[in-house]
Amino acid sequence: MQLLAPIGLLLTLAGLFGLGWCIWRGFQIRRSALPPQEIHAALHRLIALNLGSVAAAALGLGLLVVGLML
């Protein structure tokens, strides 16, 4: 039970890092000189990573709260 809080913290930080990376990568893609179809495809692939990062951060936050309550 004592490991829930540190694991939750690490998972939350990993999710937040992933969100920051998605934002940074999205700006890079939008600034690139690619054709609009390729930009759209690259941003579409980035959505999956973004949703995974949000899920990891939410799960980590939940684990952190449960670990602190116990």
Side-chain angles (χ1 to χ4, degrees):
M1 290 295 176
Q2 292 178 354
L3 287 177
L4 285 179
I7 291 172
L9 178 66
L10 290 175
L11 196 56
T12 301
L13 290 176
L16 290 176
F17 175 76
L19 285 172
W21 185 81
C22 284
I23 291 169
W24 175 74
R25 184 69 182 130
F27 279 128
Q28 269 190 337
I29 291 170
R30 288 186 65 182
R31 284 189 208 140
S32 66
L34 296 171
Q37 290 178 341
E38 289 184 30
I39 290 175
H40 181 72
L43 288 175
H44 234 324
R45 285 189 299 268
L46 196 59
I47 289 173
L49 293 172
N50 189 19
L51 289 175
S53 296
V54 168
L59 182 63
L61 190 58
L63 283 174
L64 182 63
V65 169
V66 169
L68 290 176
M69 291 175 94
L70 296 177

